[in-house]
Amino acid sequence: MEIKITKTTTPQMMPPEEKLGFGKVFTDHMLVVDWEQGKGWYDARILPFGRISLHPASTVLHYGAEIFEGLKAYRRADGGVQLFRPMENIKRMNRSAERMSLPQMDEQDMLELLTAFVRTEEKWVPKSFGTSLYLRPYLFGNDETLGVHSVHRATFMIIASPSGSYYAEGINPVGIMIESEDVRTVRGGTGYAKCGGNYAASTRAGERAAKKGYSQVLWLDGVERKYIEEVGAMNVMFKIDGVVVTPEISSGSILPGITRKSCIEVLKKLGYTVEERLLSLDELVLAMESGKLEEAWGCGTAAVVSPIGKLAYRDKEYVIGGGKIGEVTQKLYDILTGIQWGKCEDEFGWVYKL
Ligand SMILES: *Cc1c(COP(=O)(O)O)cnc(C)c1O
């Protein structure tokens, strides 16, 4: 795919690395590719970062035809830049597109777009351990009509945001509230697709939890409200009586996280037993009451792993692992971040050097 590059005439400076939050500062450029039915993808271009113009009837504004991805570019100690399992994001983006009736893109083409964009924005990849350049590919339907049908026009974009260390203040376990009212998605729905609508529908529960002093909710399945699914916008894992248990993703209502997949592969290599299966809230409560729940953590690209120190259900609060980060959680954090920032050997072949 040919990419036309127009450089900005007003390049910005990166703020001091310790001042970078998440998703507030954007780099100098953005990548845009258009698609039309019958014509396919065309006009791949890297432009100065700026506002985009949409028709007021654009599909995305009315019917929510939008999907996205999230991955990071990491700066190694030798100054080089690398991605972590980018093909996994690319494949997932196509699966999300298929679910939302949006156009898919050739995997190699998408990898080329991604790497060309990161090379253009190289100077925006911060240097300190824990910091990264967060990459946000996204795709939306862009027909200029209110008619309800599959899209005939779409736009793929990538923007990037230099981000500070998620754990600038150290890894502190979080308090989580079990959500018994709202559900995130249902079987047969869009749970496995990374689409904006899933987020819009789950914000309310997160805000209610925050008001009560919890940082996120633990989602139950949307049919029986019986089985554990995810925590906030992360996958979730538990260590119960020495065994790591994580909800299976076959129902289609859980987002198949790349961090989840990587955690499972690391744990198996370390010799742990990992069970991907249905995990009911009853079983979890029993494990908490009998003291068999040893560790719990969320996992996702942003935080890598996020230890859960407290779980609240109805009017009861359970403390997990004395409210401290557990041994397995810490080990996963050290190994994954070690590979991502190029501090330890990548025996899995996950790193993609630019
Ligand atoms: C992105 C996301 C995750 C985590 O996926 P990673 O590939 O590990 O970043 C988990 N759950 C939801 C709902 C997500 O959107």
Side-chain angles (χ1 to χ4, degrees):
M1 202 181 272
E2 199 194 319
I3 308 169
K4 185 167 175 250
I5 301 179
T6 310
K7 287 277 178 79
T8 179
T9 51
T10 52
Q12 303 296 303
M13 293 268 286
M14 175 133 79
E17 294 193 3
E18 62 285 0
K19 293 231 170 77
L20 294 168
F22 175 75
K24 289 181 295 200
V25 176
F26 294 93
T27 62
D28 286 326
H29 301 93
M30 59 188 187
L31 180 139
V32 187
V33 194
D34 291 313
W35 178 88
E36 261 179 53
Q37 195 167 45
K39 186 169 176 184
W41 294 102
Y42 65 96
D43 251 2
R45 56 212 188 266
I46 291 173
L47 304 167
F49 186 89
R51 293 185 188 270
I52 58 170
S53 155
L54 290 176
H55 189 282
S58 178
T59 321
V60 63
L61 300 177
H62 300 268
Y63 306 127
E66 193 266 359
I67 58 164
F68 65 93
E69 272 302 325
L71 70 164
K72 292 170 170 176
Y74 307 86
R75 178 84 64 186
R76 294 191 304 271
D78 68 8
V81 169
Q82 63 191 29
L83 304 174
F84 182 73
R85 312 188 80 176
M87 283 315 280
E88 294 287 331
N89 294 90
I90 289 169
K91 290 189 167 120
R92 186 169 67 192
M93 184 121 189
N94 276 336
R95 288 197 303 269
S96 300
E98 196 278 330
R99 178 65 185 85
M100 305 300 284
S101 290
L102 286 164
Q104 300 181 40
M105 192 188 280
D106 178 84
E107 290 172 3
Q108 282 308 319
D109 284 349
M110 212 193 297
L111 186 62
E112 250 177 65
L113 294 172
L114 195 61
T115 51
F117 183 64
V118 176
R119 284 202 184 100
T120 309
E121 301 304 62
E122 234 237 64
K123 72 161 197 192
W124 290 93
V125 183
K127 295 187 174 59
S128 351
F129 178 70
T131 66
S132 61
L133 180 62
Y134 184 80
L135 304 166
R136 167 55 58 87
Y138 57 114
L139 162 59
F140 52 92
N142 198 9
D143 278 31
E144 300 180 348
T145 160
L146 295 177
V148 180
H149 45 63
S150 67
V151 304
H152 303 94
R153 285 163 51 112
T155 303
F156 173 87
M157 295 185 63
I158 309 176
I159 54 174
S161 172
S163 297
S165 173
Y166 194 88
Y167 292 115
E169 257 116 73
I171 308 184
N172 293 312
V174 294
I176 299 291
M177 196 183 92
I178 296 172
E179 173 64 38
S180 40
E181 245 176 82
D182 287 2
V183 295
R184 196 184 77 91
T185 61
V186 293
R187 288 169 225 166
T190 55
Y192 70 87
K194 218 166 166 72
C195 66
N198 289 345
Y199 277 68
S202 54
T203 311
R204 181 174 80 169
E207 282 181 358
R208 280 197 303 236
K211 270 199 197 117
K212 292 188 178 157
Y214 297 97
S215 47
Q216 263 306 341
V217 299
L218 188 71
W219 295 108
L220 300 179
D221 77 275
V223 179
E224 298 174 78
R225 290 197 175 81
K226 183 175 171 189
Y227 298 103
I228 310 292
E229 298 223 310
E230 299 199 49
V231 57
M234 287 186 278
N235 294 114
V236 67
M237 299 188 169
F238 302 91
K239 184 162 164 267
I240 303 172
D241 209 9
V243 172
V244 176
V245 182
T246 189
E248 65 183 20
I249 55 175
S250 58
S251 70
S253 51
I254 293 175
L255 197 290
I258 296 156
T259 318
R260 174 190 182 276
K261 186 174 180 175
S262 306
C263 283
I264 293 172
E265 290 172 49
V266 166
L267 288 168
K268 286 189 172 163
K269 189 143 203 176
L270 292 175
Y272 287 95
T273 306
V274 183
E275 294 177 358
E276 293 179 69
R277 61 170 171 86
L278 286 173
L279 171 64
S280 69
L281 179 56
D282 288 348
E283 181 184 345
L284 187 66
V285 168
L286 215 62
M288 290 194 284
E289 285 180 340
S290 62
K292 286 189 174 159
L293 179 63
E294 294 150 357
E295 296 183 39
W297 64 92
C299 50
T301 296
V304 188
V305 292
S306 174
I308 300 170
K310 234 170 28 180
L311 261 182
Y313 183 53
R314 303 233 157 97
D315 43 15
K316 259 192 157 169
E317 202 176 77
Y318 301 89
V319 173
I320 303 164
K324 295 196 191 71
I325 182 167
E327 190 190 317
V328 173
T329 315
Q330 182 73 54
K331 219 183 266 182
L332 282 172
Y333 180 79
D334 292 340
I335 293 174
L336 288 176
T337 57
I339 295 174
Q340 290 166 335
W341 274 271
K343 288 186 156 195
C344 54
E345 201 206 329
D346 169 26
E347 47 182 314
F348 298 91
W350 285 340
V351 152
Y352 183 85
K353 293 186 179 170
L354 256 77

